[in-house]
Amino acid sequence: MNGEHSPQAFQAVVLFGPPGSGKGTQAKLLVERLGLPHVSTGDMLREHIQLGDALGLQVREVIKAGNLVPDELVIRLVEERLNRPDCRPGVLLDGFPRTIDQARILLGMAEGRGLRLLVIHLKVDYDVITARLTGRRICPQCGTLYNIRLKPPIVPGRCNIEGARLIVREDDKESVIRQRLVAYDAQTMPVLQFFAERVDFFEVDGSNRKPEDLSDEIVNWIQTTVQEGKAS
Ligand code: AMP
């Protein structure tokens, strides 16, 4: 696909999965290959927290505790973002929707914009998730992700690109990770069924796969699905 889009191929691709399932890593690979803007509600919320604006102050403690931010706040963020011209040919959503209400609204937004919804579920074992998230480190300057066990930086504790001291995300502490998984099970899991019944839906096991292989599989599915859609 390499970023080439025909009007019939306008898509909203949703990367769906528990925290630590590799949505962010896949999003980075897919954005390059599909040429769609990456919209991550987690990243947007963290930007507001860093700015220290009203929204940032409102959501900081909720995120720190591993709970979900109220629907109306994230829906507003996503709606504003989708209204920008770069999202007209489509979008890659990462971390949204996370509740049935968000999913319903997204269905409406996609329909109104002529975007076909394609949902990819990254299934990952919870033990693998905990290992990934407790070892996760992030560069505060460029956002590059590392893992002290699985993908360590060249110089311990320093970003390969920026040389900055790597940090632990506030919500990657073990007790908070547990709460994020509880929130996922209770509020986000039901969204899977909702989508499976309504839109094109693809499930892949991302527990022990190389990100590049997983990305190949996802791109193949997207291409096939879009082609089939055009033919019918
Ligand atoms: P993420 O980076 O996607 O793991 O998101 C980090 C945190 O931001 C989550 O644990 C939630 O507290 C909040 N968040 C991100 N996206 C959403 C969403 N769609 N709905 C509610 N809260 C969200």
Side-chain angles (χ1 to χ4, degrees), residues 18-20 23 40-43 45-46 59 62-71 74-75 78 94-99 102 136 169 171-172 176 180 183 188:
K23 296 191 296 291
S40 154
T41 41
D43 285 350
L45 292 165
R46 280 186 290 278
V59 300
V62 179
I63 293 181
K64 214 172 137 184
N67 294 318
L68 293 187
V69 165
D71 283 338
V74 267
I75 288 168
V78 171
D94 156 10
F96 181 91
R98 267 175 151 106
T99 64
Q102 292 178 20
R136 186 155 80 171
R169 247 171 66 171
D171 56 350
D172 278 346
V176 184
R180 287 164 68 196
T188 309

Side-chain angles (χ1 to χ4, degrees), residues 187-198:
Q187 290 158 280
T188 309
M189 274 287 245
V191 178
L192 277 181
Q193 188 61 24
F194 177 86
F195 276 142
E197 287 166 4
R198 287 168 178 82

Side-chain angles (χ1 to χ4, degrees), residues 4 14 25 29 39 74 83 102 109 112 132 156 162 186 218:
E4 291 164 24
V14 175
T25 302
L29 293 169
V39 174
V74 267
N83 283 341
Q102 292 178 20
M109 286 198 278
R132 280 186 190 170
E162 305 288 339
I218 292 171

Side-chain angles (χ1 to χ4, degrees), residues 174-214:
E174 207 156 339
S175 60
V176 184
I177 292 168
R178 270 197 297 275
Q179 182 51 35
R180 287 164 68 196
L181 291 173
V182 167
Y184 180 80
D185 281 342
Q187 290 158 280
T188 309
M189 274 287 245
V191 178
L192 277 181
Q193 188 61 24
F194 177 86
F195 276 142
E197 287 166 4
R198 287 168 178 82
V199 299
D200 292 299
F201 185 81
F202 182 53
E203 198 160 70
V204 271
D205 193 326
S207 298
N208 292 305
R209 303 280 307 280
K210 262 177 66 187
E212 291 75 15
D213 294 346
L214 210 53

